[in-house]
Amino acid sequence: MNTIKVTIKDHLSLITLDRGKSNALNREMITELNDILNNISTDPNIGGVIIAGKEPFFSAGLDLIELYNYNEAEAESFWHLFLNFVANITAFKKPLVAAINGHSPAGGCVIALACDYRVMAEGKYIIGLNEVPVGIIVPNSIFNLYAFWIGTANASRSLLEGKLFSPEEALQIGLVDELVNPASIITAAERKVRKYMGMERNTWEQSKLSIRKDLITSTSADQSEALAVMLKQWWAPSTRSILKTIIDNLQKK
């Protein structure tokens, strides 16, 4: 695998996002994450998973530079791939904890939202869904994932203004569950996931799936209609202009 690293210790899998400086999510990375989660879901020897980034980024979200250059067919297939990945990680039945050791906006936040528990590093980091100011329409399935943790009213307000939270704000609103010193983040994540792994496995997994029933229905439903609306705006001159400005700024850094 080129974009993630996987280590296994005492039935626990640590997936480290490892693509460039910011762990921007492209087609290859999402495919590799999907594949490893599918493999782990059927492996009886692995009882739980931690997903971590590498300081100062958990993941900066989707790779806008790569996406911007896609043609219409490539863009449509990518967004299908991403939404299928969201459905897959939302329905992943084993304990899944995010060790958010850096910035986690947009797609990075979506990965964290799909986990059962989020440990975030203290520091000058940001997390949240900031797609609207970028010109990207967020599908209802992803909004539901946001609202699942922070409530419909908070999710609505935050999404419509593209709010990005500091770690302290994220803890206060329920977007993350625990703040720790960056050096302790894997230890804290492992403590939580092993607590889950210590429960009777089938009871824990079936309870998770039951709690998430509506979320799983939402993310696994046919996304064609939402995708058509999203793609129409993706190709709109106003969105292309915003994306071009963002990309130009990224490439200057």
Side-chain angles (χ1 to χ4, degrees):
M1 288 176 286
N2 298 319
T3 66
I4 58 176
K5 292 179 179 174
V6 182
T7 56
I8 297 168
K9 181 182 80 171
D10 297 333
H11 309 290
L12 172 63
S13 177
L14 171 61
I15 301 172
T16 305
L17 309 179
D18 186 31
R19 179 174 180 258
K21 178 188 174 185
S22 66
N23 284 327
L25 300 160
N26 70 343
R27 187 184 300 275
E28 181 180 30
M29 193 175 197
I30 292 167
T31 301
E32 290 188 349
L33 279 168
N34 236 342
D35 288 347
I36 194 65
L37 287 175
N38 285 335
N39 290 341
I40 290 171
S41 70
T42 57
D43 187 338
N45 294 313
I46 299 178
V49 178
I50 295 171
I51 299 181
K54 50 182 186 177
E55 199 178 347
F57 284 93
F58 178 71
S59 170
L62 300 182
D63 186 341
L64 294 178
I65 296 173
E66 184 172 311
L67 266 67
Y68 184 82
N69 292 307
Y70 284 165
N71 62 33
E72 288 195 25
E74 289 169 335
E76 184 173 359
S77 74
F78 174 84
W79 284 108
H80 271 296
L81 175 73
F82 180 68
L83 292 177
N84 286 338
F85 165 66
V86 173
N88 194 22
I89 191 172
T90 300
F92 185 79
K93 64 183 180 179
K94 295 183 180 182
L96 184 61
V97 171
I100 309 168
N101 43 357
H103 300 298
S104 187
C109 182
V110 173
I111 291 176
L113 288 169
C115 294
D116 302 301
Y117 192 86
R118 282 156 294 285
V119 182
M120 190 168 188
E122 299 166 330
K124 294 184 177 179
Y125 301 125
I126 52 167
I127 184 169
L129 298 184
N130 62 327
E131 284 84 348
V132 170
V134 177
I136 297 172
I137 297 171
V138 175
N140 185 252
S141 58
I142 290 176
F143 171 76
N144 290 340
L145 203 51
Y146 209 22
F148 183 78
W149 297 109
I150 68 173
T152 303
N154 279 330
S156 300
R157 283 190 288 264
S158 303
L159 188 73
L160 289 175
E161 65 179 76
K163 183 168 175 58
L164 292 168
F165 298 89
S166 68
E168 292 76 19
E169 289 171 330
L171 180 66
Q172 189 173 20
I173 204 170
L175 183 53
V176 301
D177 303 290
E178 188 178 345
L179 298 185
V180 297
N181 183 295
S184 306
I185 193 163
I186 299 300
T187 302
E190 182 171 347
R191 185 186 309 121
K192 177 56 68 169
V193 76
R194 288 202 183 279
K195 183 174 183 179
Y196 292 150
M197 289 166 64
M199 309 280 185
E200 199 285 318
R201 179 181 285 194
N202 191 58
T203 303
W204 194 93
E205 291 178 355
Q206 293 306 314
S207 296
K208 173 178 176 175
L209 294 178
S210 177
I211 290 164
R212 291 184 173 223
K213 183 180 177 183
D214 291 343
L215 265 189
I216 292 167
T217 299
S218 173
T219 53
S220 61
D222 184 353
Q223 304 285 317
S224 301
E225 194 175 323
L227 203 52
V229 174
M230 178 198 265
L231 285 167
K232 184 178 180 182
Q233 186 60 39
W234 175 258
W235 294 110
S238 56
T239 297
R240 303 302 285 176
S241 175
I242 296 168
L243 291 170
K244 182 73 167 63
T245 301
I246 293 168
I247 289 164
D248 287 346
N249 289 334
L250 286 171
Q251 291 177 328
K252 285 175 189 171
K253 292 180 180 178

